[in-house]
Amino acid sequence: KKIVYEIDDKFLKINSIAKLINLKLNKLNDFKKSFINDLILNGLPDKTTEHKKTWDEYKISSLFNIKSLKGYPDETPLSVFREYGVVRRSDYENKNALPEDLSRNKLVDIGDLVINKMKTWSGSLGISNYRGIVSPAYYVLKIIKQCDSLFLNYLLRSSLFVEKYDKISRGVRPGQWDLDIDEFNKIKIQIPKLKDQKLISKYIEQKISELDKISNLDQIRLKLLVKMGQSIIFNYTN
């Protein structure tokens, strides 16, 4: 009974610390979202970019054209994740098996917008940094206006716009609603001049990197707490 009490006491403390770390991680994630939303809507806080009143408004259809190039089975398979955007499939675990015939998959060039139409409501889209191929069920859009791809990636993946995608996704099966691409093309966005886009995206990258370092340290702390719990059980039972 004394051993069980000692173990429970130590696990209570470990769980209490872990709860605080997870709370901090959630708050960091919420702050990151609000931080990005503010910058892509209003520009830099030190006013080095032009005021939003001077930003130009566009429909998405005037920035992108849908393309559907197939017949490139030897290109690198890509995936789209809510958390990361467009990535090389081999770099992340993917439960969906690749078909044997990849000739029907769509070609993606660097700078293209890739959309998982069944998961857009959750944020599964992004500007690609890679050339490769994606599922024929995805939408691939080629940019037709000179813009900073990093700025557009942050803007289109921001929580403010993901909320819009949720409203224009439709279907019978919950969790796999198809994006209405016509309604998507009608969405209006305001963007600053190219030089300001680059300033904003560079600033976001810098700050997100700093926040990610904090998050990574806390993730390491959580793993150490798990190992600590395992060692406690081992020490008390051997």
Side-chain angles (χ1 to χ4, degrees), residues 121-225:
W121 58 269
S122 69
S124 289
L125 78 166
I127 305 292
S128 181
N129 289 323
Y130 309 100
R131 177 183 167 91
I133 50 176
V134 294
S135 165
Y138 287 10
Y139 290 122
V140 180
L141 286 74
K142 179 180 178 61
I143 191 164
I144 56 176
K145 180 176 174 58
Q146 188 179 19
C147 294
D148 180 62
S149 59
L150 191 56
F151 176 84
L152 283 181
N153 190 57
Y154 278 121
L155 183 140
L156 294 172
R157 284 176 46 78
S158 68
S159 60
L160 288 174
F161 278 82
V162 171
E163 290 174 5
K164 296 179 185 289
Y165 311 148
D166 181 61
K167 293 177 181 178
I168 59 173
S169 295
R170 300 177 176 87
V172 177
R173 184 179 177 185
Q176 288 193 329
W177 297 322
D178 271 9
L179 176 73
D180 186 325
I181 192 64
D182 293 328
E183 291 300 317
F184 177 80
N185 279 326
K186 293 177 185 177
I187 293 175
K188 295 179 180 180
I189 60 177
Q190 288 184 302
I191 56 176
K193 299 294 186 290
L194 181 60
K195 65 178 182 66
D196 286 344
Q197 293 176 39
K198 292 180 177 180
L199 285 173
I200 293 170
S201 60
K202 184 178 179 181
Y203 184 77
I204 291 175
E205 284 282 279
Q206 177 189 338
K207 296 302 179 183
I208 292 300
S209 177
E210 294 172 5
L211 292 173
D212 285 344
K213 286 179 181 178
I214 298 172
S215 296
N216 290 338
L217 285 173
D218 284 327
Q219 293 288 357
I220 292 172
R221 291 188 179 101
L222 286 175
K223 291 178 180 179
L224 289 174
L225 287 173

Side-chain angles (χ1 to χ4, degrees), residues 76-79 81 84 86-94 130:
T76 304
L78 305 176
S79 293
F81 284 87
Y84 314 111
V86 184
V87 298
R88 288 185 292 250
R89 184 186 173 93
S90 59
D91 292 341
Y92 294 86
E93 182 180 356
N94 194 315
Y130 309 100

Side-chain angles (χ1 to χ4, degrees), residues 106-118:
K106 294 179 180 178
L107 179 67
V108 175
D109 287 304
I110 294 174
D112 284 349
L113 172 62
V114 185
I115 302 172
N116 180 346
K117 65 178 183 177
M118 291 191 298

Side-chain angles (χ1 to χ4, degrees), residues 35-49:
F35 167 76
I36 292 173
N37 287 343
D38 182 59
L39 286 175
I40 62 164
L41 286 179
N42 302 305
L44 296 178
D46 59 4
K47 309 302 180 183
T48 55
T49 54

